[in-house]
Amino acid sequence: QVQLVESGGGMVQAGGSLRLSCVASGSINRINLMGWYRQAPGKERKLVALITWDGDTRYLDSVKGRFTISRDNAKNAVYLQMNTLNPDDTAAYYCNLVQLNLQYWGQGTQVTVSS
């Protein structure tokens, strides 16, 4: 089993920054894909950023240049540095891990950006 625990969400004014963290525990395979998704009320969950075990990254177009995903394989952790936040970034953010054709989710952390 794999557990993902997120932290770092909160409320911030437009233009501000937040850093999300996610730590995975349990049976973690070295080769995996970790990422962050977000879901706003009434909308579908969508990919924000992902990072492969060896550091390749991909971003949602609207966050490119503002968000940075990184990971620490020794800690089984993934991070999302979010800068220049705007109200459209308001959502619940979920950590995701994919390994051995299985997918795991964290419980989510709320990010609220006020104008």
Side-chain angles (χ1 to χ4, degrees):
Q1 267 291 25
V2 174
Q3 296 80 40
L4 302 174
V5 178
E6 302 115 330
S7 61
M11 184 176 294
V12 65
Q13 289 188 331
S17 299
L18 285 173
R19 185 176 189 247
L20 304 183
S21 300
C22 172
V23 177
S25 61
S27 300
I28 308 300
N29 190 283
R30 186 177 69 88
I31 309 295
N32 62 51
L33 185 68
M34 299 189 79
W36 291 93
Y37 287 69
R38 69 186 183 189
Q39 186 169 19
K43 296 189 176 181
E44 293 185 350
R45 189 174 297 187
K46 63 170 59 175
L47 175 67
V48 176
L50 59 81
I51 185 167
T52 64
W53 68 275
D54 56 352
D56 287 339
T57 60
R58 180 185 298 175
Y59 295 92
L60 178 69
D61 283 347
S62 63
V63 309
K64 287 180 181 177
R66 300 188 298 123
F67 291 12
T68 303
I69 190 170
S70 60
R71 64 187 292 166
D72 184 335
N73 290 336
K75 297 180 180 179
N76 291 324
V78 64
Y79 309 98
L80 187 67
Q81 177 67 43
M82 305 184 294
N83 298 328
T84 320
L85 285 158
N86 63 64
D88 289 338
D89 297 315
T90 295
Y93 283 71
Y94 296 89
C95 179
N96 176 268
L97 183 149
V98 179
Q99 63 177 27
L100 303 175
N101 293 322
L102 294 176
Q103 183 168 230
Y104 303 91
W105 294 95
Q107 80 285 358
T109 185
Q110 180 66 35
V111 172
T112 302
V113 185
S114 61
S115 57

